[in-house]
Amino acid sequence: MMRNLAKLRASVVKEARILLRDRQALILFFTMPVLFVLILSLSLRDVFGDRPGATFPVLVVAEDQAEVGRGIVDTFRANPHIRLALAERASEAQARQWLIDGHYRFVVLVPAGATLQAKRRLGEIMAEVPADLRLEQPVSVRVLADPSLRSDYRKVLEGSLDLALHGIEMKLGREQLEQALRATQGSHFTGLPDMEHGRLFQPVHGETVTKRGGGPTPTSVQQNAPAWTLLAMFFLTVPLSVAFIKEREQGSLFRLQTMTVPAWVVLGGKAVPYFVINQIQMISVLAVSVYVLPLLGGDPLGLGNAPLALLLMGASASLAAIGFGIAVAVYARTTEQAAGFSSATVMIMGALGGILVPKAVMLPIMQELAVISPLSWGLDGFLDIFVRGGGVDDVLPEALALLAFSAFCHAIAIQRYRRRV
Amino acid sequence: MTSTASPSPAPQADVRVGTPAIELKGLSKSFPGGRAPALDGVDLSVPRGGIFGILGPNGAGKTTLMSILGGLILPSSGSVRIDGHDVLTEARHIRHILGLVPQEPAIYPTLTARENLDFFGRMQGLSGAYLESRIQACLELAEMTGEADQRVEQFSGGYKRRLNMVIGLMHEPEILILDEPTVAIDPHSRALIHDRLRELNAAGISILISTHYMEEAELLCDEIAIIDHGRLMVQGLVPDLLAQRRDEAIELQFFGEPGAGLARALETIPGVQRAEQAGCRVRVFSDRPEQVIAPIMQRVQAEAPTLRSLVFGRASLEQVFLSLTGDRGAPR
Ligand SMILES: Nc1ncnc2c1ncn2[C@@H]1O[C@H](COP(=O)(O)OP(=O)(O)OP(=O)(O)O)[C@@H](O)[C@H]1O
Ligand SMILES: [Mg+2]
């Protein structure tokens, strides 16, 4: 065993030397994913979010048809960026479903009797009932938002709703004040009511609506950073398998077979350096996404709060990629075969797995099909961490699937490597 | 026709007792999809302590045979013993005493010579000071101490082959198998490899070498086997084989073409059966070549063309080879 470990070490050193001497390849390994993430996160930002100048379908469920309901509808109707839809009656669940199904990006729920409630509260304020003794609560106009709506657009929509509510407040207040002034003829006017401490409406807080499958839709960088890390990791199967077949073509592999070198030493000698490269790829992509992207005007990547889960995902994705590369190398006859097969397979697995095109925009049937792609397992794991704030427990199924895939690939590779004709 | 059948005054007679270095019995190998078997019932016994040559034209099965010895491919049938151990069931023992030098240089082009030796040495289980001393010794053997730290891809073909050979020596094997180690290299590198092999052999290492070159086999080997189409054609000590098949032709080469009269004049010499002229060359056939040389020289001087060379009795192993393998794949 100790002897074989020494041999493994020598194999790793040999492979590392060979890799380090291929400068061009190394540069490609690291710049490719970083550039992809930078370019695509910046340029696809508006696809994941929304194009400037786009119009949003907004639904207002106005169960109140008086001043409050009408005021909100009028404000939104005046906004050229909003395609307004109206409903007089809809349950909240129904509204959520519409949002999830993508009919609307934004839903405003105006509760029945909102105007009445606002007026009664105004009356209490005018009568100077102390805040803790008032019977009426501020009216709650609820807002539901599609989480993939870019946050700045959401803020604008929420702001315009806020403005509408302030306008209604002012209007109702002025009417009440006029009535009061007329009734008292100014004789015992005690000053303006304290509107500051008696808002008629609750502050607007948009609630994002969770989509099917759990968790909000990722932002551009949340999707791109893990996607291109994974693709880069799996693309390393091309140089890995080519290096292995070259070794066979150069005869050095046969030479090793005439010596007492176990298969796991030979394959492990390949795996370790490529594993290290994979980890550096991941770290550089994450670093660029966190630190460089915001400098270029993109959204920064939040790494979630489970570094251990991140390490676990990085390691298992890399092992899966390496296993795949080694299996391809052992089975392929020529370098062309290996390079062609592994790059084509990785592209297909990437397309299927939501790497090239996010799963959220794929047809439902394709979303189901994504399950067969190891890259999809990897992506789901990373999204668990970045978007859903998941920890080790949450990514464990994905990590285990990747590790099982890796073990399977290594097993068939070793079995084939040992075979003699 | 194996050596055991031919009694001979072999100088190595004493070391030939005991287990042979390599022993093949009924060895056959068919590749999946191959039309004819690459090896077909080969019985071969390579004695200890000698240099044994395997001769055969391209595609004869030399590399296949050596790959089986190295455990790289499995025989279809028959048994293979190295140092008395079966290659299939006792591979572990064999790998420590066997050194295999493949036909094509099996080295890492982007590593230096030293790094290649270091890596393969470690893969053989060497380490520490012993490894260092072996690397040094092998660099010296290959006469490349000056180039030790150059990348192999910058080496010439001959240097690559020299490195390829000494990698097989890193673990000081008792039995060394070399597959055509002197193909495509210059006379200096070839002489170097020959010298090294003789030294190793003198130090007690049994050597099995395959080659196309008759000259090489004659110069280097004590005993040879000729294979063709996967079949063993003959095995024997070199002097025995030479004695069996003497070349009866005397070959004369001239600067310029001799007149047509020369061949006819030579045929009048008693003991000469026939003389043939082809261009600048004249071949004289006789069953007593030693006795007709002097009269031939007299005639040649009388007829006056300038003689360039006179050869007889040489290239006889080539004759053996050609007569056994047909004219196909004639060696140099
Ligand atoms: N892997 C293989 N698959 C199928 N046939 C093979 C394979 N290796 C060798 N052969 C066939 O076996 C025969 C013997 O080949 P081998 O390489 O042993 O010849 P060789 O004597 O070494 O020739 P050379 O002098 O050209 O090196 C050839 O007909 C060859 O085509
Ligand atoms: Mg050969």
Side-chain angles (χ1 to χ4, degrees):
Chain A
M1 192 63 195
M2 286 312 288
R3 228 162 222 245
N4 284 336
L5 283 180
K7 288 180 184 177
L8 179 65
R9 206 177 134 252
S11 298
V12 171
V13 168
K14 178 263 299 173
E15 197 63 33
R17 274 183 177 142
I18 291 175
L19 272 167
L20 287 175
R21 281 171 199 177
D22 195 351
R23 290 277 148 74
Q24 289 92 332
L26 273 189
I27 291 171
L28 197 70
F29 295 161
F30 296 125
T31 49
M32 192 268 270
V34 165
L35 282 180
F36 266 125
V37 169
L38 279 180
I39 294 168
L40 290 164
S41 295
L42 289 173
S43 58
L44 293 182
R45 203 170 143 217
D46 291 329
V47 173
F48 287 83
D50 297 282
R51 272 173 298 283
T55 58
F56 305 100
V58 172
L59 174 70
V60 176
V61 180
E63 298 197 329
D64 175 82
Q65 296 290 312
E67 283 96 329
V68 173
R70 277 203 312 275
I72 292 171
V73 170
D74 289 345
T75 310
F76 280 146
R77 191 167 275 150
N79 188 330
H81 294 299
I82 287 173
R83 240 180 312 125
L84 191 64
L86 294 175
E88 288 187 11
R89 201 153 297 277
S91 70
E92 188 185 325
Q94 178 64 68
R96 278 177 190 276
Q97 193 53 49
W98 284 331
L99 205 63
I100 287 167
D101 293 344
H103 297 306
Y104 306 105
R105 308 297 298 277
F106 208 70
V107 175
V108 180
L109 300 166
V110 187
T115 306
L116 216 63
Q117 187 185 350
K119 281 183 174 167
R120 278 206 296 267
R121 182 164 167 84
L122 184 61
E124 286 179 339
I125 294 168
M126 298 286 282
E128 292 180 56
V129 177
D132 46 343
L133 295 179
R134 288 175 200 157
L135 296 173
E136 287 299 342
Q137 296 299 311
V139 177
S140 162
V141 176
R142 309 266 316 280
V143 171
L144 306 175
D146 176 348
S148 67
L149 190 66
R150 257 172 66 178
S151 59
D152 41 355
Y153 286 101
R154 205 177 79 203
K155 288 271 153 37
V156 170
L157 283 167
E158 284 169 7
S160 70
L161 176 61
D162 216 23
L163 220 60
L165 295 178
H166 271 288
I168 293 162
E169 231 165 45
M170 294 298 286
K171 186 163 168 267
L172 292 178
R174 203 179 57 235
E175 282 170 12
Q176 287 262 352
L177 206 58
E178 276 171 11
Q179 271 176 28
L181 283 173
R182 229 174 280 128
T184 58
Q185 299 293 345
S187 60
H188 45 293
F189 178 60
T190 54
L192 289 169
D194 175 14
M195 297 298 280
E196 200 55 41
H197 294 100
R199 295 261 344 239
L200 302 185
F201 300 100
Q202 282 181 359
V204 173
H205 279 306
E207 177 200 344
T208 53
V209 173
T210 301
K211 290 219 171 176
R212 179 178 10 155
T217 315
T219 64
S220 175
V221 66
Q222 283 174 336
Q223 156 80 18
N224 278 319
W228 297 103
T229 302
L230 284 165
L231 202 72
M233 280 182 174
F234 272 79
F235 251 106
L236 227 56
T237 57
V238 176
L240 168 61
S241 55
V242 166
F244 189 87
I245 293 171
K246 260 201 209 149
E247 211 169 328
R248 198 166 67 202
E249 283 174 351
Q250 287 159 1
S252 18
L253 213 55
F254 292 118
R255 183 162 228 151
L256 292 178
Q257 288 179 341
T258 67
M259 304 173 178
T260 43
V261 185
W264 67 265
V265 168
V266 174
L267 302 184
K270 278 252 139 32
V272 174
Y274 281 87
F275 181 82
V276 172
I277 293 181
N278 277 167
Q279 301 313 305
I280 299 176
Q281 283 180 316
M282 182 173 85
I283 291 167
S284 51
V285 168
L286 296 184
V288 163
S289 306
V290 172
Y291 299 110
V292 180
L293 209 54
L295 300 180
L296 300 176
D299 299 323
L301 176 68
L303 292 181
N305 34 29
L308 223 55
L310 213 51
L311 285 180
L312 176 65
M313 282 311 297
S316 16
S318 170
L319 289 175
I322 289 167
F324 178 66
I326 286 178
V328 168
V330 172
Y331 276 87
R333 247 173 293 159
T334 60
T335 52
E336 290 80 6
Q337 228 178 43
F341 178 79
S342 51
S343 55
T345 316
V346 168
M347 284 309 273
I348 291 170
M349 290 198 299
L352 267 181
I355 300 289
L356 304 183
V357 177
K359 262 186 263 182
V361 308
M362 298 197 317
L363 287 175
I365 178 150
M366 294 308 280
Q367 293 191 17
E368 308 277 307
L369 216 60
V371 173
I372 64 171
S373 165
L375 276 91
S376 152
W377 313 337
L379 188 58
D380 283 346
F382 280 111
L383 292 180
D384 276 346
I385 301 169
F386 294 149
V387 184
R388 290 147 211 157
V392 172
D393 289 351
D394 300 289
V395 301
L396 212 52
E398 285 96 351
L400 287 178
L402 287 167
L403 291 174
F405 176 77
S406 175
F408 171 75
C409 287
H410 278 102
I412 61 170
I414 286 184
Q415 188 257 338
R416 174 77 176 207
Y417 176 82
R418 287 208 185 120
R419 206 183 69 155
R420 300 276 187 278
V421 287
Chain B
M1 277 203 274
T2 58
S3 65
T4 42
S6 63
S8 64
Q12 307 93 331
D14 50 332
V15 289
R16 303 180 78 204
V17 291
T19 35
I22 297 170
E23 195 169 33
L24 312 178
K25 286 218 177 89
L27 178 64
S28 294
K29 172 69 187 178
S30 299
F31 285 104
R35 265 175 298 152
L39 290 176
D40 190 1
V42 175
D43 294 298
L44 192 69
S45 177
V46 177
R48 247 163 226 286
I51 302 183
F52 192 102
I54 295 213
L55 283 135
N58 289 130
K62 304 182 293 294
T63 299
T64 305
L65 180 80
M66 295 190 156
S67 300
I68 292 175
L69 293 175
L72 291 172
I73 57 178
L74 299 175
S76 304
S77 63
S79 78
V80 183
R81 293 189 161 268
I82 295 178
D83 193 34
H85 296 267
D86 190 282
V87 284
L88 295 181
T89 56
E90 294 161 289
R92 218 155 235 292
H93 169 85
I94 291 170
R95 282 174 187 177
H96 285 114
I97 59 157
L98 184 73
L100 185 76
V101 177
Q103 182 168 353
E104 295 305 322
I107 41 189
Y108 293 98
T110 55
L111 298 186
T112 66
R114 189 189 301 280
E115 286 165 349
N116 268 289
L117 288 166
D118 178 272
F119 172 69
F120 285 112
R122 288 180 193 276
M123 289 298 125
Q124 287 281 21
L126 315 187
S127 61
Y130 178 64
L131 173 67
E132 288 311 313
S133 74
R134 285 307 300 158
I135 292 174
Q136 200 50 38
C138 286
L139 286 170
E140 278 162 19
L141 271 179
E143 286 187 0
M144 49 174 60
T145 40
E147 291 80 11
D149 297 310
Q150 265 178 38
R151 286 194 200 177
V152 170
E153 61 195 350
Q154 299 166 353
F155 282 5
S156 70
Y159 268 63
K160 284 182 190 157
R161 284 186 185 275
R162 273 149 66 172
L163 176 62
N164 186 45
M165 180 176 95
V166 292
I167 288 174
L169 297 172
M170 278 297 284
H171 62 302
E172 299 191 277
E174 291 170 29
I175 299 172
L176 183 62
I177 298 180
L178 305 105
D179 196 359
E180 299 188 29
T182 58
V183 184
I185 58 175
D186 71 13
H188 171 76
S189 287
R190 182 172 312 151
L192 176 88
I193 289 181
H194 287 178
D195 288 348
R196 293 301 176 246
L197 292 179
R198 283 196 203 92
E199 285 165 24
L200 290 165
N201 182 237
I205 295 177
S206 309
I207 295 174
L208 177 69
I209 178 173
S210 77
T211 178
H212 284 151
Y213 300 123
M214 297 306 118
E215 243 174 282
E216 182 166 61
E218 269 187 72
L219 277 170
L220 200 60
C221 302
D222 311 302
E223 189 168 346
I224 61 163
I226 295 177
I227 60 172
D228 190 22
H229 293 297
R231 281 204 204 96
L232 179 71
M233 310 304 286
V234 67
Q235 176 182 358
L237 295 171
V238 173
D240 291 353
L241 291 172
L242 291 180
Q244 272 174 29
R245 314 214 172 212
R246 286 190 47 177
D247 187 359
E248 320 87 60
I250 298 162
E251 191 174 287
L252 303 153
Q253 255 192 308
F254 297 94
F255 291 109
E257 242 176 80
L262 179 64
R264 256 174 281 129
L266 293 177
E267 278 180 344
T268 62
I269 298 170
V272 170
Q273 290 144 346
R274 198 157 46 88
E276 289 168 358
Q277 190 199 337
C280 303
R281 223 180 266 229
V282 176
R283 280 165 76 84
V284 182
F285 295 88
S286 163
D287 45 9
R288 290 170 279 144
E290 319 74 53
Q291 292 169 19
V292 297
I293 291 266
I296 286 175
M297 286 309 293
Q298 280 170 10
R299 294 297 156 91
V300 167
Q301 270 152 22
E303 299 282 329
T306 351
L307 183 66
R308 188 171 152 210
S309 66
L310 181 148
V311 179
F312 95 100
R314 270 225 23 215
S316 49
L317 209 46
E318 189 165 331
Q319 288 290 323
V320 178
F321 185 89
L322 287 177
S323 68
L324 287 170
T325 62
D327 272 323
R328 190 181 68 91
R332 212 189 56 150

